Amino acid sequence: MMVDNCQLEMSTEDKILSAAINLMEQKGYKAVTMKEIAHTAGFSEMTLFRRFGSKKAILDAGVEKYSYNIPMKKIFDEQITYDLQQDLTLIGKTYHKYMKQNEKVVMLAFQERNTHPEIGKKTAENPKLLKTYLLQYLKEMEQKGKIEAANIEANVMSFLWMNLGFFMAQFVSGKEVSAVEEEEFIHTSVNIFAKGLQK
């Protein structure tokens, strides 16, 4: 049997958290047992209890570890060119890269939003930050005379919902909804969005 090198390098904690998040995303938090997590991760239940104490503690640790932490501040501080199409393309690509890396936690947040609302609060931290950065960016673009005066917040939310919608459709339905590839989606959507804002 071939073993993934990444699996060999994972710590005990990482293996447990990865197994737990995968199982909870597939079956729901309530349906998954500590015994099942232990078996999937390759450890005894005692190891799980020693390290975490409870299933809820495993969930909390998994959400903390796998909630996407997009380095958007670095982009807005160091890589913005004030070329609207170029900047939005970079932001879109970065957003989708990190959403895909953390898709199981994002979907778990949707599934458990009523029983564990704290997951949703945790996963909402980065979109809220991105919204703040985009608001400031478009205000600066407006001040520089590079885009039309408009409802900046409505435009920012349109950009965020557009990208979230593509991510959700791809995750839930794959190619059933659309065969458009991510790169083509980003190129086309940014092109349309930028044309609507530019003078």
Side-chain angles (χ1 to χ4, degrees), residues 66-72 91-110 123-128 130 160-171 182:
Y66 294 109
S67 290
Y68 66 97
N69 182 17
I70 302 179
M72 285 293 180
I91 292 163
K93 285 181 176 178
T94 305
Y95 173 88
H96 285 285
K97 174 184 174 184
Y98 283 87
M99 285 294 278
K100 280 192 294 188
Q101 283 181 10
N102 298 277
E103 61 189 11
K104 292 191 184 300
V105 170
V106 173
M107 295 311 295
L108 188 58
F110 279 103
T123 55
E125 288 175 9
N126 283 289
K128 283 163 70 177
L130 178 53
L160 291 175
W161 292 137
M162 175 176 67
N163 283 283
L164 177 61
F166 180 81
F167 164 77
M168 291 296 292
Q170 293 294 300
F171 185 83
E182 181 185 302

Side-chain angles (χ1 to χ4, degrees), residues 179-198:
V180 174
E181 296 294 334
E182 181 185 302
E183 189 172 343
E184 179 61 25
F185 163 75
I186 293 171
H187 172 76
T188 303
S189 60
V190 166
N191 187 41
I192 294 168
F193 195 80
K195 281 182 179 175
L197 286 175
Q198 286 170 330

Side-chain angles (χ1 to χ4, degrees), residues 108-154:
L108 188 58
F110 279 103
Q111 291 169 6
E112 301 294 333
R113 63 191 178 279
N114 295 320
T115 52
H116 295 92
E118 70 278 5
I119 306 174
K121 288 178 183 175
K122 179 66 184 173
T123 55
E125 288 175 9
N126 283 289
K128 283 163 70 177
L129 276 175
L130 178 53
K131 177 188 171 186
T132 300
Y133 295 144
L134 278 168
L135 281 169
Q136 185 58 41
Y137 169 72
L138 288 184
K139 283 175 184 173
E140 288 180 31
M141 290 292 280
E142 187 179 85
Q143 289 164 4
K144 291 175 183 289
K146 295 196 169 193
I147 63 172
E148 296 282 358
N151 184 329
I152 299 291
E153 181 160 1

